[in-house]
Amino acid sequence: MDEILDLATRLGQRIAADPRGRQMADARAALDGSLQDRQLLQDYETQQHKMHELEASGRPIEPEDKRKLADLHGKVIGSRIIKDVLKAQADYLELMTLVSQHIEEAALGLAEEASS
């Protein structure tokens, strides 16, 4: 078990050194450093949640709620920091999906079957 955890640690270090890992870390650091963008994301998520709850409960969604969400959405997509985070997350997720697939294939012996 220790050997597996050791390998996992080394893999994590390699992922962190990959351009997509560095991009993700940099984007998170930029977001962490921007109180304005963090607050904007929180406000947007809160408003989305409110509208989903209203919809799920069958209550009407007021025009003001729709306007507020649209306004917040416009600000979110206008934020360079948030755009960078979303791009970095997409690239990082793609990398992690590929890594996970390769690990699963190797663990289940599928990689050997595919190359045979």
Side-chain angles (χ1 to χ4, degrees):
M1 175 80 161
D2 287 343
E3 183 182 354
I4 293 170
L5 296 178
D6 218 21
L7 286 169
T9 299
R10 291 197 340 249
L11 176 59
Q13 292 166 342
R14 289 294 302 134
I15 289 169
D18 183 87
R20 290 164 285 193
R22 288 192 314 268
Q23 180 186 25
M24 187 68 215
D26 292 346
R28 281 186 180 171
L31 183 60
D32 288 346
S34 174
L35 177 61
Q36 179 180 348
D37 288 293
R38 285 194 327 264
Q39 186 64 52
L40 177 58
L41 273 179
Q42 183 178 355
D43 293 348
Y44 180 71
E45 290 169 359
T46 298
Q47 186 64 21
Q48 275 188 318
H49 182 70
K50 177 183 178 183
M51 292 184 65
H52 287 303
E53 283 186 349
L54 288 170
E55 191 174 62
S57 67
R59 295 184 306 208
I61 297 173
E62 300 297 327
E64 176 58 28
D65 286 322
K66 291 178 183 179
R67 275 192 295 276
K68 184 175 180 180
L69 184 64
D71 179 55
L72 288 168
H73 183 261
K75 289 176 182 177
V76 164
I77 63 171
S79 165
R80 168 57 49 204
I81 288 175
I82 294 173
K83 281 182 192 176
D84 290 347
V85 168
L86 294 174
K87 169 81 169 82
Q89 283 178 334
D91 292 345
Y92 188 77
L93 179 60
E94 180 182 20
L95 171 64
M96 295 308 293
T97 299
L98 289 170
V99 168
S100 179
Q101 287 172 347
H102 279 77
I103 290 171
E104 186 173 353
E105 288 172 1
L108 298 177
L110 300 175
E112 293 172 6
E113 291 176 14
S115 64
S116 298

